[in-house]
mmCIF file of all heavy atoms in Angstrom:
data_model
loop_
_atom_site.group_PDB
_atom_site.id
_atom_site.type_symbol
_atom_site.label_atom_id
_atom_site.label_comp_id
_atom_site.label_asym_id
_atom_site.label_seq_id
_atom_site.Cartn_x
_atom_site.Cartn_y
_atom_site.Cartn_z
ATOM 1 N N VAL W 13 1.031 30.849 19.976
ATOM 2 C CA VAL W 13 1.419 31.775 18.992
ATOM 3 C C VAL W 13 0.295 32.353 18.342
ATOM 4 O O VAL W 13 -0.686 31.711 18.064
ATOM 5 C CB VAL W 13 2.432 31.112 17.920
ATOM 6 C CG1 VAL W 13 1.773 30.015 17.109
ATOM 7 C CG2 VAL W 13 3.133 32.068 17.011
ATOM 8 N N GLN W 14 0.409 33.714 17.857
ATOM 9 C CA GLN W 14 -0.683 34.295 17.194
ATOM 10 C C GLN W 14 -0.438 33.987 15.757
ATOM 11 O O GLN W 14 0.741 33.886 15.217
ATOM 12 C CB GLN W 14 -0.492 35.938 17.383
ATOM 13 C CG GLN W 14 -1.679 36.643 17.021
ATOM 14 C CD GLN W 14 -2.833 36.442 18.075
ATOM 15 O OE1 GLN W 14 -2.622 36.340 19.267
ATOM 16 N NE2 GLN W 14 -4.076 36.504 17.613
ATOM 17 N N GLU W 15 -1.649 33.784 15.133
ATOM 18 C CA GLU W 15 -1.588 33.628 13.657
ATOM 19 C C GLU W 15 -0.727 34.548 12.904
ATOM 20 O O GLU W 15 -0.730 35.782 13.290
ATOM 21 C CB GLU W 15 -2.960 33.648 13.106
ATOM 22 C CG GLU W 15 -3.242 32.894 11.800
ATOM 23 C CD GLU W 15 -4.791 32.845 11.427
ATOM 24 O OE1 GLU W 15 -5.583 33.448 12.198
ATOM 25 O OE2 GLU W 15 -5.063 32.345 10.305
ATOM 26 N N ALA W 16 0.092 34.073 12.038
ATOM 27 C CA ALA W 16 1.070 34.993 11.234
ATOM 28 C C ALA W 16 2.378 35.310 11.892
ATOM 29 O O ALA W 16 3.221 35.934 11.254
ATOM 30 C CB ALA W 16 0.382 36.215 10.654
ATOM 31 N N GLU W 17 2.426 35.031 13.162
ATOM 32 C CA GLU W 17 3.636 35.279 13.969
ATOM 33 C C GLU W 17 4.611 34.007 13.794
ATOM 34 O O GLU W 17 4.326 33.033 13.279
ATOM 35 C CB GLU W 17 3.309 35.538 15.442
ATOM 36 C CG GLU W 17 2.436 36.958 15.634
ATOM 37 C CD GLU W 17 3.146 38.155 15.235
ATOM 38 O OE1 GLU W 17 4.368 38.268 15.744
ATOM 39 O OE2 GLU W 17 2.678 38.873 14.388
ATOM 40 N N THR W 18 5.752 34.242 14.575
ATOM 41 C CA THR W 18 6.785 33.146 14.576
ATOM 42 C C THR W 18 6.990 32.636 15.841
ATOM 43 O O THR W 18 6.832 33.305 16.847
ATOM 44 C CB THR W 18 8.154 33.739 13.982
ATOM 45 O OG1 THR W 18 8.053 34.278 12.676
ATOM 46 C CG2 THR W 18 9.292 32.815 14.105
ATOM 47 N N VAL W 19 7.244 31.319 15.897
ATOM 48 C CA VAL W 19 7.442 30.634 17.207
ATOM 49 C C VAL W 19 8.560 29.677 17.067
ATOM 50 O O VAL W 19 8.822 29.111 15.966
ATOM 51 C CB VAL W 19 6.040 29.951 17.537
ATOM 52 C CG1 VAL W 19 5.702 28.771 16.656
ATOM 53 C CG2 VAL W 19 6.170 29.328 18.943
ATOM 54 N N THR W 20 9.271 29.518 18.216
ATOM 55 C CA THR W 20 10.425 28.494 18.184
ATOM 56 C C THR W 20 10.284 27.469 19.275
ATOM 57 O O THR W 20 9.988 27.915 20.429
ATOM 58 C CB THR W 20 11.657 29.313 18.454
ATOM 59 O OG1 THR W 20 11.920 30.211 17.377
ATOM 60 C CG2 THR W 20 12.804 28.278 18.488
ATOM 61 N N LEU W 21 10.291 26.277 18.860
ATOM 62 C CA LEU W 21 10.152 25.256 19.888
ATOM 63 C C LEU W 21 11.462 24.613 20.131
ATOM 64 O O LEU W 21 12.317 24.444 19.247
ATOM 65 C CB LEU W 21 9.295 24.141 19.218
ATOM 66 C CG LEU W 21 7.839 24.413 18.766
ATOM 67 C CD1 LEU W 21 7.090 23.263 18.236
ATOM 68 C CD2 LEU W 21 7.094 25.324 19.731
ATOM 69 N N SER W 22 11.826 24.290 21.456
ATOM 70 C CA SER W 22 13.127 23.875 21.906
ATOM 71 C C SER W 22 13.248 22.459 21.919
ATOM 72 O O SER W 22 12.376 21.743 22.259
ATOM 73 C CB SER W 22 13.472 24.530 23.164
ATOM 74 O OG SER W 22 13.376 25.888 23.145
ATOM 75 N N CYS W 23 14.457 22.041 21.700
ATOM 76 C CA CYS W 23 14.853 20.512 21.901
ATOM 77 C C CYS W 23 16.305 20.423 22.126
ATOM 78 O O CYS W 23 17.077 21.049 21.359
ATOM 79 C CB CYS W 23 14.401 19.790 20.663
ATOM 80 S SG CYS W 23 15.090 17.959 20.661
ATOM 81 N N THR W 24 16.618 19.593 23.178
ATOM 82 C CA THR W 24 18.059 19.308 23.399
ATOM 83 C C THR W 24 18.223 17.761 23.545
ATOM 84 O O THR W 24 17.182 17.079 23.806
ATOM 85 C CB THR W 24 18.641 19.954 24.660
ATOM 86 O OG1 THR W 24 17.806 19.504 25.824
ATOM 87 C CG2 THR W 24 18.579 21.456 24.536
ATOM 88 N N TYR W 25 19.263 17.303 23.139
ATOM 89 C CA TYR W 25 19.491 15.784 23.196
ATOM 90 C C TYR W 25 20.839 15.540 23.857
ATOM 91 O O TYR W 25 21.785 16.422 23.886
ATOM 92 C CB TYR W 25 19.347 15.359 21.780
ATOM 93 C CG TYR W 25 20.269 15.946 20.826
ATOM 94 C CD1 TYR W 25 21.519 15.332 20.473
ATOM 95 C CD2 TYR W 25 19.962 17.090 20.097
ATOM 96 C CE1 TYR W 25 22.368 15.849 19.623
ATOM 97 C CE2 TYR W 25 20.890 17.797 19.342
ATOM 98 C CZ TYR W 25 22.060 17.147 19.018
ATOM 99 O OH TYR W 25 22.930 17.685 18.165
ATOM 100 N N ASP W 26 21.002 14.229 24.191
ATOM 101 C CA ASP W 26 22.133 13.767 24.807
ATOM 102 C C ASP W 26 22.715 12.529 24.075
ATOM 103 O O ASP W 26 21.968 11.642 23.841
ATOM 104 C CB ASP W 26 22.021 13.491 26.286
ATOM 105 C CG ASP W 26 23.326 13.225 26.947
ATOM 106 O OD1 ASP W 26 24.394 13.597 26.593
ATOM 107 O OD2 ASP W 26 23.259 12.409 28.002
ATOM 108 N N THR W 27 23.910 12.621 23.476
ATOM 109 C CA THR W 27 24.475 11.519 22.765
ATOM 110 C C THR W 27 26.037 11.620 22.670
ATOM 111 O O THR W 27 26.403 12.673 22.897
ATOM 112 C CB THR W 27 23.949 11.343 21.368
ATOM 113 O OG1 THR W 27 24.489 10.235 20.665
ATOM 114 C CG2 THR W 27 24.393 12.549 20.509
ATOM 115 N N SER W 28 26.616 10.434 22.729
ATOM 116 C CA SER W 28 28.091 10.459 22.610
ATOM 117 C C SER W 28 28.459 10.061 21.122
ATOM 118 O O SER W 28 29.637 10.037 20.772
ATOM 119 C CB SER W 28 28.639 9.239 23.482
ATOM 120 O OG SER W 28 28.180 8.053 23.238
ATOM 121 N N GLU W 29 27.424 9.961 20.298
ATOM 122 C CA GLU W 29 27.627 9.572 18.817
ATOM 123 C C GLU W 29 28.059 10.905 18.131
ATOM 124 O O GLU W 29 27.675 12.018 18.563
ATOM 125 C CB GLU W 29 26.464 9.003 18.256
ATOM 126 C CG GLU W 29 26.001 7.774 18.884
ATOM 127 C CD GLU W 29 26.820 6.602 18.646
ATOM 128 O OE1 GLU W 29 27.546 6.543 17.518
ATOM 129 O OE2 GLU W 29 26.889 5.694 19.433
ATOM 130 N N SER W 30 28.803 10.747 16.966
ATOM 131 C CA SER W 30 28.977 11.987 16.199
ATOM 132 C C SER W 30 28.235 12.009 14.893
ATOM 133 O O SER W 30 28.020 13.055 14.261
ATOM 134 C CB SER W 30 30.508 12.040 15.831
ATOM 135 O OG SER W 30 30.851 10.736 15.036
ATOM 136 N N ASP W 31 27.708 10.839 14.555
ATOM 137 C CA ASP W 31 26.837 10.777 13.334
ATOM 138 C C ASP W 31 25.456 10.284 13.683
ATOM 139 O O ASP W 31 25.279 9.209 14.245
ATOM 140 C CB ASP W 31 27.618 9.778 12.477
ATOM 141 C CG ASP W 31 27.162 9.908 11.081
ATOM 142 O OD1 ASP W 31 26.509 10.982 10.731
ATOM 143 O OD2 ASP W 31 27.482 9.074 10.104
ATOM 144 N N TYR W 32 24.464 11.058 13.367
ATOM 145 C CA TYR W 32 23.071 10.751 13.704
ATOM 146 C C TYR W 32 22.128 11.672 12.960
ATOM 147 O O TYR W 32 22.498 12.552 12.183
ATOM 148 C CB TYR W 32 22.883 10.994 15.154
ATOM 149 C CG TYR W 32 23.426 12.331 15.808
ATOM 150 C CD1 TYR W 32 22.620 13.448 15.805
ATOM 151 C CD2 TYR W 32 24.657 12.405 16.355
ATOM 152 C CE1 TYR W 32 23.004 14.614 16.285
ATOM 153 C CE2 TYR W 32 25.139 13.577 16.788
ATOM 154 C CZ TYR W 32 24.261 14.628 16.824
ATOM 155 O OH TYR W 32 24.730 15.958 17.310
ATOM 156 N N TYR W 33 20.724 11.401 13.121
ATOM 157 C CA TYR W 33 19.785 12.111 12.524
ATOM 158 C C TYR W 33 18.964 12.797 13.600
ATOM 159 O O TYR W 33 18.684 12.157 14.615
ATOM 160 C CB TYR W 33 18.877 11.311 11.683
ATOM 161 C CG TYR W 33 19.600 10.717 10.468
ATOM 162 C CD1 TYR W 33 20.019 9.387 10.534
ATOM 163 C CD2 TYR W 33 19.904 11.339 9.268
ATOM 164 C CE1 TYR W 33 20.743 8.708 9.453
ATOM 165 C CE2 TYR W 33 20.443 10.854 8.124
ATOM 166 C CZ TYR W 33 20.877 9.521 8.227
ATOM 167 O OH TYR W 33 21.501 8.940 7.190
ATOM 168 N N LEU W 34 18.316 13.953 13.286
ATOM 169 C CA LEU W 34 17.377 14.633 14.091
ATOM 170 C C LEU W 34 16.133 14.885 13.242
ATOM 171 O O LEU W 34 16.213 15.193 12.135
ATOM 172 C CB LEU W 34 17.917 15.905 14.653
ATOM 173 C CG LEU W 34 19.136 15.640 15.682
ATOM 174 C CD1 LEU W 34 19.837 16.958 15.856
ATOM 175 C CD2 LEU W 34 18.716 15.197 17.001
ATOM 176 N N PHE W 35 14.961 14.860 13.922
ATOM 177 C CA PHE W 35 13.757 15.107 13.265
ATOM 178 C C PHE W 35 12.830 15.935 14.097
ATOM 179 O O PHE W 35 12.940 15.789 15.345
ATOM 180 C CB PHE W 35 13.002 13.604 13.017
ATOM 181 C CG PHE W 35 13.910 12.637 12.326
ATOM 182 C CD1 PHE W 35 14.669 11.794 13.033
ATOM 183 C CD2 PHE W 35 13.698 12.387 10.891
ATOM 184 C CE1 PHE W 35 15.431 10.728 12.355
ATOM 185 C CE2 PHE W 35 14.491 11.507 10.302
ATOM 186 C CZ PHE W 35 15.394 10.676 11.029
ATOM 187 N N TRP W 36 11.870 16.499 13.427
ATOM 188 C CA TRP W 36 10.643 17.029 14.141
ATOM 189 C C TRP W 36 9.479 16.487 13.416
ATOM 190 O O TRP W 36 9.379 16.455 12.182
ATOM 191 C CB TRP W 36 10.652 18.554 13.945
ATOM 192 C CG TRP W 36 11.432 19.356 14.857
ATOM 193 C CD1 TRP W 36 12.729 19.890 14.685
ATOM 194 C CD2 TRP W 36 11.097 19.742 16.175
ATOM 195 N NE1 TRP W 36 13.128 20.403 15.902
ATOM 196 C CE2 TRP W 36 12.166 20.383 16.770
ATOM 197 C CE3 TRP W 36 9.970 19.420 17.060
ATOM 198 C CZ2 TRP W 36 12.116 20.790 18.170
ATOM 199 C CZ3 TRP W 36 9.853 19.899 18.248
ATOM 200 C CH2 TRP W 36 11.038 20.715 18.907
ATOM 201 N N TYR W 37 8.559 15.932 14.190
ATOM 202 C CA TYR W 37 7.310 15.283 13.748
ATOM 203 C C TYR W 37 6.211 16.132 14.445
ATOM 204 O O TYR W 37 6.381 16.640 15.500
ATOM 205 C CB TYR W 37 7.148 13.933 14.184
ATOM 206 C CG TYR W 37 7.889 12.888 13.443
ATOM 207 C CD1 TYR W 37 9.200 12.516 13.727
ATOM 208 C CD2 TYR W 37 7.310 12.222 12.309
ATOM 209 C CE1 TYR W 37 9.868 11.544 12.994
ATOM 210 C CE2 TYR W 37 7.922 11.291 11.635
ATOM 211 C CZ TYR W 37 9.308 10.891 11.977
ATOM 212 O OH TYR W 37 9.916 9.959 11.074
ATOM 213 N N LYS W 38 5.025 16.302 13.736
ATOM 214 C CA LYS W 38 3.912 16.894 14.038
ATOM 215 C C LYS W 38 2.732 15.815 14.179
ATOM 216 O O LYS W 38 2.620 14.870 13.316
ATOM 217 C CB LYS W 38 3.557 17.936 12.900
ATOM 218 C CG LYS W 38 2.195 18.462 13.035
ATOM 219 C CD LYS W 38 1.955 19.444 11.790
ATOM 220 C CE LYS W 38 0.482 19.915 11.795
ATOM 221 N NZ LYS W 38 0.320 20.714 10.582
ATOM 222 N N GLN W 39 2.132 15.996 15.182
ATOM 223 C CA GLN W 39 0.899 14.991 15.476
ATOM 224 C C GLN W 39 -0.395 15.915 15.735
ATOM 225 O O GLN W 39 -0.576 16.355 16.838
ATOM 226 C CB GLN W 39 1.210 14.112 16.688
ATOM 227 C CG GLN W 39 0.052 13.014 16.782
ATOM 228 C CD GLN W 39 0.357 12.103 17.984
ATOM 229 O OE1 GLN W 39 0.733 12.478 19.076
ATOM 230 N NE2 GLN W 39 0.052 10.812 17.691
ATOM 231 N N PRO W 40 -1.206 15.994 14.647
ATOM 232 C CA PRO W 40 -2.464 16.808 14.906
ATOM 233 C C PRO W 40 -3.476 15.950 15.723
ATOM 234 O O PRO W 40 -3.058 14.686 15.944
ATOM 235 C CB PRO W 40 -2.867 17.055 13.522
ATOM 236 C CG PRO W 40 -2.176 16.000 12.624
ATOM 237 C CD PRO W 40 -0.880 15.755 13.375
ATOM 238 N N PRO W 41 -4.702 16.455 16.006
ATOM 239 C CA PRO W 41 -5.590 15.558 16.678
ATOM 240 C C PRO W 41 -5.901 14.335 16.007
ATOM 241 O O PRO W 41 -6.402 13.373 16.683
ATOM 242 C CB PRO W 41 -6.844 16.520 16.837
ATOM 243 C CG PRO W 41 -6.216 17.938 16.828
ATOM 244 C CD PRO W 41 -5.051 17.786 15.912
ATOM 245 N N SER W 42 -5.804 14.212 14.732
ATOM 246 C CA SER W 42 -6.154 12.948 13.972
ATOM 247 C C SER W 42 -5.124 11.855 14.421
ATOM 248 O O SER W 42 -5.391 10.734 14.088
ATOM 249 C CB SER W 42 -5.896 13.170 12.470
ATOM 250 O OG SER W 42 -4.539 13.466 12.145
ATOM 251 N N ARG W 43 -4.158 12.166 15.207
ATOM 252 C CA ARG W 43 -2.915 11.338 15.672
ATOM 253 C C ARG W 43 -2.002 10.746 14.770
ATOM 254 O O ARG W 43 -1.097 9.928 15.077
ATOM 255 C CB ARG W 43 -3.617 10.140 16.652
ATOM 256 C CG ARG W 43 -4.216 9.005 15.980
ATOM 257 C CD ARG W 43 -4.635 8.043 17.015
ATOM 258 N NE ARG W 43 -5.007 6.671 16.348
ATOM 259 C CZ ARG W 43 -6.273 6.190 16.577
ATOM 260 N NH1 ARG W 43 -7.114 6.662 17.444
ATOM 261 N NH2 ARG W 43 -6.550 4.965 15.922
ATOM 262 N N GLN W 44 -2.217 11.191 13.555
ATOM 263 C CA GLN W 44 -1.246 10.751 12.353
ATOM 264 C C GLN W 44 0.115 11.623 12.627
ATOM 265 O O GLN W 44 0.105 12.753 12.560
ATOM 266 C CB GLN W 44 -1.872 11.044 10.991
ATOM 267 C CG GLN W 44 -0.843 10.852 9.940
ATOM 268 C CD GLN W 44 -0.727 9.334 9.638
ATOM 269 O OE1 GLN W 44 -1.763 8.629 9.245
ATOM 270 N NE2 GLN W 44 0.592 8.860 9.680
ATOM 271 N N MET W 45 1.119 10.784 12.845
ATOM 272 C CA MET W 45 2.477 11.449 12.906
ATOM 273 C C MET W 45 2.969 11.869 11.617
ATOM 274 O O MET W 45 3.051 11.060 10.603
ATOM 275 C CB MET W 45 3.492 10.509 13.547
ATOM 276 C CG MET W 45 3.171 10.090 15.032
ATOM 277 S SD MET W 45 3.714 11.548 16.116
ATOM 278 C CE MET W 45 5.455 11.187 16.222
#
Side-chain angles (χ1 to χ4, degrees):
Chain W
V13 63
Q14 199 70 35
E15 202 175 1
E17 298 291 309
T18 295
V19 66
T20 298
L21 308 185
S22 301
C23 173
T24 58
Y25 57 95
D26 185 25
T27 183
S28 58
E29 305 286 333
S30 60
D31 203 12
Y32 49 86
Y33 296 98
L34 295 164
F35 306 86
W36 279 98
Y37 279 88
K38 167 185 176 181
Q39 187 181 42
S42 68
R43 80 178 186 231
Q44 175 75 59
M45 293 280 283

